[in-house]
Amino acid sequence: MAAMTGIRNIMILTGAGISAESGIDTFRDAGGLWEQHRVEDVATPEAFARDPELVLRFYDMRRAAIQTKAPNAAHHALARLDEHWPGDLLIVTQNVDDLHERAGASRVLHMHGQHLNAWCTACDERSRWTDTLLDRPPCPACGEAALRPDVVWFGEMPYRMDEIYAALREADLFVSIGTSGAVYPAAGLVREARELGARTLELNLERSQGSLWFEETRLGPATELVPAWVDEVMKK
Ligand code: APR
């Protein structure tokens, strides 16, 4: 990207592609999660009402799986940028894994929730959760057996959208990493960033559905593109 001059505030949107090289399935790539499972069966409030066991088993499997994975070079590069970037920086992730945080990043916002949280539908408390939910354990806060995965399902509103839009209004640069641009409102952020006058950069394995909105698109694996981009930014 030509000049980074004048770039003080950065928003970074990440998707499943940044965790792919850590061995976590993406959703829409060949062999991805939505080829293995029907969204309607495991990722909607209706599915949970209809067959809670199927849904809880699916997320128990995912929750266990991510705890066996490790952050990769892309996560570590963003953590390095987060540590040293003097301006505002916000990593808005669609991912429900904790690899950004395990790599050391702190300015992270999970807009689709987190696998390692359980959400009580009785008292609305969220509790750190690394175990299973299928056996309907009591909520640590209220004791009710009303815990569900703290993941935003299709048809539900993503979290903290006000904070995301407030940060977007201040952003001089919007960078998107490892997302197909298939799911809104995340997929609409680049257009809003453009309209707000921010520079826009996409780092992805292949062109996404929103590529036309990006000033620049770099294609390749995140573990190569992201460290190279962070080196570039840090040198400026
Ligand atoms: N490096 C960079 N990009 C990659 C890599 C990689 N190693 N592997 C895959 N990608 C790219 C793919 O080309 C694709 O564009 O990552 C993207 C993954 O797209 P999706 O599977 O659609 O995942 P994502 O965009 O995060 O999905 C958005 O949809 O299913 C819901 O809530 C879920 O947060 C998720 C949302």
Side-chain angles (χ1 to χ4, degrees):
M1 170 163 279
M4 277 287 291
T5 45
I7 302 284
R8 182 154 179 76
N9 302 329
I10 303 176
M11 178 180 285
I12 300 168
L13 175 70
T14 66
I18 199 171
S19 295
E21 294 162 87
S22 292
I24 298 182
D25 292 337
T26 63
F27 296 93
R28 292 171 188 81
D29 292 315
L33 268 179
W34 297 151
E35 277 187 11
Q36 302 162 36
H37 305 271
R38 286 175 359 115
V39 164
E40 306 80 63
D41 294 343
V42 293
T44 65
E46 295 76 21
F48 188 55
R50 190 174 55 242
D51 189 346
E53 270 69 35
L54 177 71
V55 173
L56 291 173
R57 195 173 291 115
F58 172 75
Y59 285 97
D60 282 356
M61 176 202 58
R62 303 281 299 161
R63 190 175 311 106
I66 65 157
Q67 295 177 73
T68 67
K69 311 298 183 189
N72 60 50
H75 298 107
H76 287 293
L78 291 186
R80 196 158 45 86
L81 181 64
D82 179 28
E83 188 186 349
H84 299 289
W85 185 253
D88 290 352
L89 181 135
L90 184 62
I91 300 170
V92 175
T93 187
Q94 299 170 84
N95 299 345
V96 287
D97 64 53
D98 64 338
L99 298 186
H100 282 303
E101 290 89 345
R102 273 200 270 145
S106 56
R107 295 186 271 183
V108 180
L109 188 161
H110 286 266
M111 71 182 294
H112 291 165
Q114 300 184 60
H115 272 315
L116 298 184
N117 273 353
W119 176 23
C120 179
T121 54
C123 73
D124 201 28
E125 275 297 312
R126 282 167 171 82
S127 312
R128 194 84 188 140
W129 205 269
T130 55
D131 207 337
T132 58
L133 288 176
L134 185 59
D135 43 347
R136 297 314 190 108
C139 165
C142 74
E144 289 289 324
L147 296 175
R148 60 159 269 186
D150 183 24
V151 169
V152 175
W153 287 326
F154 289 90
E156 296 183 325
M157 269 307 290
Y159 296 159
R160 301 168 63 183
M161 289 310 295
D162 297 351
E163 284 174 65
I164 294 171
Y165 287 125
L168 195 63
R169 281 191 290 277
E170 303 304 319
D172 306 303
L173 173 61
F174 177 84
V175 182
S176 172
I177 304 171
T179 183
S180 59
V183 173
Y184 285 76
L189 294 176
V190 59
R191 181 172 179 169
E192 287 163 58
R194 267 321 269 272
E195 285 162 3
L196 288 162
R199 314 290 306 270
T200 52
L201 171 66
E202 177 179 46
L203 308 176
N204 216 49
L205 201 56
E206 60 197 0
R207 300 188 74 80
S208 70
Q209 294 180 23
S211 280
L212 61 86
W213 290 104
F214 288 91
E215 247 176 285
E216 182 182 355
T217 290
R218 300 181 189 175
L219 300 179
T223 55
E224 290 172 19
L225 293 181
V226 179
W229 172 68
V230 168
D231 288 347
E232 219 180 281
V233 172
M234 301 277 268
K235 263 199 228 83
K236 300 284 173 187

